[in-house]
Amino acid sequence: MNCEQLFELADLELLNHRPFVFYRKPGDSTLNFLIQEDDQLHTTTDFTETGFVFAPFESNSPIILIPGKIESIEDCDFKVSMPENSLTLDIAETEREQHIQLVSQAIKSIQQTSLQKVVISRTQLASTSTTSPVTLFKRLLDKYAQAFVYVWHHPNVGTWLGATPETLLSLRGSNFETMALAGTQKYNGTIDVQWGQKEQEEQALVTQDLVSRLESFDLRKLNVKERETYKAGSLLHLRTCITGSFKSASFEISKLLKALHPTPAVCGLPRAEAQEFIKHFESYDRSFYTGFLGELNKLEDNSKVRNRRNVENLAYKTLTPATRLFVNLRCMQFKSSINEIYVGGGITKDSIPEDEWEETVNKAQTIASIL
């Protein structure tokens, strides 16, 4: 089977109402997929299973699992024809006013309480004549080569797709990697840009919180890399990569995910206060937006290069379970003719409400550009 046949299979599975996920990791040419044999809704609580996990923002909501072995096709060409004129979002003035008012409320709370940062989000409705989410998935693959791009479907839940730039957790044996991602500005041909005080402080808050949460575990080492400007499609972000290893590989991944999710980049600081603000003021259900998704306990070959003259040694492989999860950003829920795009931004004491509104418009255009 080649990649084009795999795309046709995805369309067929939609018709057959079977759960599936198709995805590509950042900077890769391999197309990965997992198709469930029935329409049963599987969930996980301890993350000991193997498969693809799809988790919502709310930590007390069910975490969906498509169980099984993930298959892949290498060396795919993701070039496709793009729409001649990408969709221009039709945004009502009332939407703008409501978001600006909400951001102003967040700034007021930060000034008057212990809240340091809160992420405010909204949805943007967008119509399209495209009837297949697989077509949109192919366009995302072409347009966002350095993002985690996916299309996910379950007949009892819905259809989601997106192109996210943010790793929540990469785990292989006892080694891990995560990142602090915060601050946004439009890409104008260079990554050599200046960042304002607000963005730098926001990014520092996110980094400090992640480090403190990781330090509560029994670590062998922890490495916080230099902050850098990171390009994600038409946007730039500030990013700090954090790597390390645990003293033992027998720790519980569920406890690690509980410590990391939701990150300050999608919720706020302190976490409890930010969650309370979102619950009371955001006025809609984020669902899987700002949740996480990805491979769970996928067995990978960890064999060392051996002397090929020793034929007997070639028969032995070391398989290590690997988990790679991404924060569900730059995403949309596909609903036939009307789609729902999810966008948001981090608010601090130095935020300017009108600028925060424009940031959400720019982020919505990431998805709207392929409609």
Side-chain angles (χ1 to χ4, degrees):
M1 183 183 297
N2 59 35
C3 292
E4 196 54 45
Q5 290 172 327
L6 197 58
F7 291 132
E8 293 174 2
L9 177 61
D11 273 323
L12 180 62
E13 296 308 323
L14 279 169
L15 294 175
N16 291 336
H17 303 292
R18 292 203 298 180
F20 68 81
V21 62
F22 289 71
Y23 65 95
R24 186 212 57 208
K25 298 175 190 176
D28 205 351
S29 62
T30 299
L31 187 61
N32 307 281
F33 65 100
L34 179 56
I35 300 170
Q36 192 172 303
E37 292 301 317
D38 54 34
D39 64 356
Q40 183 178 345
L41 188 63
H42 297 275
T43 61
T44 182
T45 56
D46 58 10
F47 301 95
T48 58
E49 303 90 344
T50 298
F52 191 96
V53 67
F54 200 55
F57 171 69
E58 291 288 348
S59 56
N60 58 354
S61 297
I63 297 170
I64 300 174
L65 174 77
I66 298 180
K69 181 183 177 183
I70 295 168
E71 306 288 346
S72 61
I73 295 180
E74 297 180 351
D75 301 321
C76 288
D77 181 4
F78 296 123
K79 293 295 180 183
V80 296
S81 59
M82 301 295 286
E84 292 184 10
N85 299 302
S86 62
L87 179 70
T88 300
L89 294 170
D90 184 16
I91 304 174
E93 181 62 25
T94 54
E95 292 180 87
R96 180 179 182 275
E97 291 173 355
Q98 288 170 359
H99 191 76
I100 288 176
Q101 184 178 2
L102 180 55
V103 172
S104 299
Q105 176 65 51
I107 295 171
K108 183 179 178 181
S109 294
I110 291 169
Q111 292 170 341
Q112 297 179 350
T113 70
S114 60
L115 189 63
Q116 295 176 279
K117 171 191 173 179
V118 63
V119 176
I120 298 301
S121 69
R122 66 182 182 89
T123 60
Q124 178 68 57
L125 297 181
S127 60
T128 177
S129 58
T130 303
T131 58
S132 170
V134 179
T135 299
L136 300 181
F137 171 59
K138 290 163 69 174
R139 292 174 184 172
L140 285 174
L141 287 169
D142 184 6
K143 194 172 181 68
Y144 300 108
Q146 298 305 315
F148 178 84
V149 179
Y150 76 92
V151 57
W152 181 96
H153 171 75
H154 197 294
N156 300 321
V157 179
T159 304
W160 288 70
L161 62 155
T164 175
E166 184 173 354
T167 296
L168 175 67
L169 175 66
S170 182
L171 186 64
R172 203 164 192 266
S174 60
N175 298 314
F176 69 86
E177 179 178 348
T178 185
M179 67 172 62
L181 194 74
T184 303
Q185 61 176 284
K186 290 187 72 173
Y187 173 69
N188 291 310
T190 179
I191 63 170
D192 186 16
V193 296
Q194 296 295 316
W195 289 94
Q197 189 70 20
K198 180 260 181 185
E199 289 81 10
Q200 293 183 55
E201 289 182 357
E202 180 186 355
Q203 212 275 338
L205 285 172
V206 172
T207 302
Q208 291 164 10
D209 183 74
L210 284 176
V211 169
S212 66
R213 290 182 179 277
L214 287 167
E215 286 178 339
S216 67
F217 290 85
D218 192 16
L219 301 178
R220 178 180 290 113
K221 60 181 178 180
L222 181 67
N223 179 32
V224 181
K225 298 185 178 180
E226 291 292 324
R227 186 179 68 192
E228 60 185 350
T229 298
Y230 173 67
K231 180 177 179 291
S234 59
L235 300 175
L236 298 177
H237 303 284
L238 281 171
R239 179 177 74 171
T240 300
C241 292
I242 303 169
T243 62
S245 62
F246 299 96
K247 289 183 178 178
S248 171
S250 62
F251 65 93
E252 295 179 35
I253 186 173
S254 58
K255 290 183 178 179
L256 178 58
L257 288 173
K258 187 175 181 180
L260 293 176
H261 173 74
T263 71
V266 299
C267 180
L269 285 168
R271 180 191 285 182
E273 285 87 334
Q275 286 176 317
E276 193 67 19
F277 184 93
I278 291 169
K279 180 179 179 180
H280 279 87
F281 291 102
E282 214 172 53
S283 74
Y284 85 104
D285 181 7
R286 288 190 181 187
S287 188
F288 295 98
Y289 169 62
T290 60
F292 60 87
L293 72 164
E295 299 171 342
L296 184 64
N297 298 318
K298 179 184 177 185
L299 292 178
E300 294 184 351
D301 185 4
N302 199 33
S303 305
K304 295 181 179 179
V305 178
R306 294 181 173 89
N307 187 336
R308 288 192 172 273
R309 287 176 294 183
N310 190 340
V311 179
E312 289 183 358
N313 282 346
L314 292 176
Y316 296 94
K317 287 186 177 182
T318 304
L319 296 178
T320 302
T323 293
R324 193 164 186 192
L325 305 174
F326 294 82
V327 182
N328 197 15
L329 304 174
R330 313 293 190 274
C331 63
M332 63 175 275
Q333 187 172 9
F334 185 86
K335 297 180 179 179
S336 189
S337 60
I338 300 293
N339 304 287
E340 201 163 7
I341 300 173
Y342 294 77
V343 286
I347 311 303
T348 67
K349 59 180 174 54
D350 299 317
S351 292
I352 300 172
E354 291 77 11
D355 291 349
E356 297 298 337
W357 164 257
E358 288 301 324
E359 181 177 317
T360 67
V361 173
N362 292 335
K363 288 176 177 177
Q365 200 60 44
T366 299
I367 296 296
S369 66
I370 53 99
L371 299 178

